Amino acid sequence: MKKILVIGSLNMDLVAHVPHLPHPGETISSTKFQQNPGGKGANQAVAAAKLGGNVAMIGRVGADDHGKVLLNNLKQAGVDVTEIQQEGTTGMAFINVSQDGENHIVLVPGANHQVSCADIDDCIQLIQESDFIIMQLEIPLDVVEYVLNIAAEHQNEVILNPAPGRQLPAKMLRMVHTLIPNETELQQLTGMSTATIEEIVEAALFLKSLGLARIIVTMGDKGSYLLNDDLQVHIPAVEVIPVDTTAAGDSYIAAFAVGLTKGMSDLESAEFATKVSAIVTTREGAQPSLPTLAEIV
Ligand code: RIB
């Protein structure tokens, strides 16, 4: 089976359910508190493995209890964790989830910011053997750029989820095969307005012109927009009542990659990812919300 390698973050999510997302200066009480395994990288790795992908992960957790919980959750899902280092303090994410399922996230990077180019050098064989490499931006940017250069040399297909959103140099974007931002991240990447579908397409086409093979913009309840060399297509969302949108984007990216490894077309993979991420929004938490393949109809 084709191999997926996730290089990225692992966080313990500390989640407060709140009546509404607090305004600046406002103090509110939560109605419920949860502690869940999360982190964009780990969420994507677990999601892909639960959907039947052959997945390994490179990253760092702390030598602490949070780190143990995160590693166990990855192992249980079937992710190869051999190259996850344990040192320092595990990353954390403070998440507020409102009654309508929207969230605010504040990261405390911890061990995620200790991921280094030397870690990557230690895993060159794993990188060479991987068909798809998935990355996000919760580890140092120089490491992401280093992997992009190695992947370009070895012709691995890189799927980049540019989250948290920020500007990226064009020389980095040119080495990405598939870019999967949400509307906000697309706006941050391009500096262009992404308020309407027309503006989203314009901003995505601008990025595509740098030479990327695919761009998929995820748009929450508005679905997603796929652009490749042959297609420009809007994929509507599956209608659900969301309770927590945390990890919906992560599950979309993972499912899209799994679809490709199973020989689905770009469109089929995006439709599969749409179904997976819809289920995730109907459940609480990041990794606890990720479905197995048998749950996708
Ligand atoms: O994408 C959701 C994730 O973002 C959370 O699990 C949190 O840890 C942050 O990394």
Side-chain angles (χ1 to χ4, degrees), residues 10-50:
L10 305 99
N11 294 324
M12 185 55 76
D13 290 352
L14 306 176
V15 187
H17 291 259
V18 287
H20 62 267
L21 297 177
H23 307 297
E26 188 184 21
T27 301
I28 56 173
S29 288
S30 67
T31 50
K32 185 162 58 173
F33 172 76
Q34 288 167 325
Q35 189 166 303
N36 300 313
K40 292 184 198 306
N43 295 346
Q44 292 170 21
V46 169
K50 288 185 80 172

Side-chain angles (χ1 to χ4, degrees), residues 210-230:
L210 296 175
L212 285 78
R214 308 180 185 101
I215 299 190
I216 304 174
V217 186
T218 55
M219 304 180 294
D221 61 5
K222 295 194 291 297
S224 55
Y225 205 95
L226 162 69
L227 281 104
N228 62 19
D229 290 340
D230 310 313

Side-chain angles (χ1 to χ4, degrees), residues 124-245:
I124 288 295
Q125 198 183 337
L126 178 61
I127 292 173
Q128 282 172 0
E129 286 168 4
S130 300
D131 299 283
F132 297 95
I133 298 174
I134 306 179
M135 291 192 286
Q136 324 74 33
L137 302 178
E138 286 182 348
I139 57 171
L141 197 61
D142 64 321
V143 178
V144 175
E145 187 170 12
Y146 193 61
V147 175
L148 281 168
N149 277 299
I150 294 170
E153 210 176 295
H154 295 289
Q155 298 184 335
N156 311 100
E157 214 173 279
V158 174
I159 299 175
L160 180 69
N161 170 215
R166 54 170 294 163
Q167 283 193 325
L168 289 175
K171 69 170 181 174
M172 269 181 81
L173 288 168
R174 284 198 182 94
M175 291 186 279
V176 173
H177 192 275
T178 303
L179 189 72
I180 312 188
N182 65 21
E183 309 110 295
T184 310
E185 290 147 6
L186 181 64
Q187 190 274 325
Q188 288 164 316
L189 273 172
T190 60
M192 296 164 75
S193 170
T194 57
T196 63
I197 294 257
E198 291 73 25
E199 287 178 344
I200 285 171
V201 174
E202 200 181 329
L205 279 171
F206 166 71
L207 288 178
K208 176 98 182 44
S209 70
L210 296 175
L212 285 78
R214 308 180 185 101
I215 299 190
I216 304 174
V217 186
T218 55
M219 304 180 294
D221 61 5
K222 295 194 291 297
S224 55
Y225 205 95
L226 162 69
L227 281 104
N228 62 19
D229 290 340
D230 310 313
L231 278 179
Q232 279 188 28
V233 57
H234 176 222
I235 299 135
V238 176
E239 271 187 44
V240 288
I241 298 174
V243 298
D244 181 357
T245 56

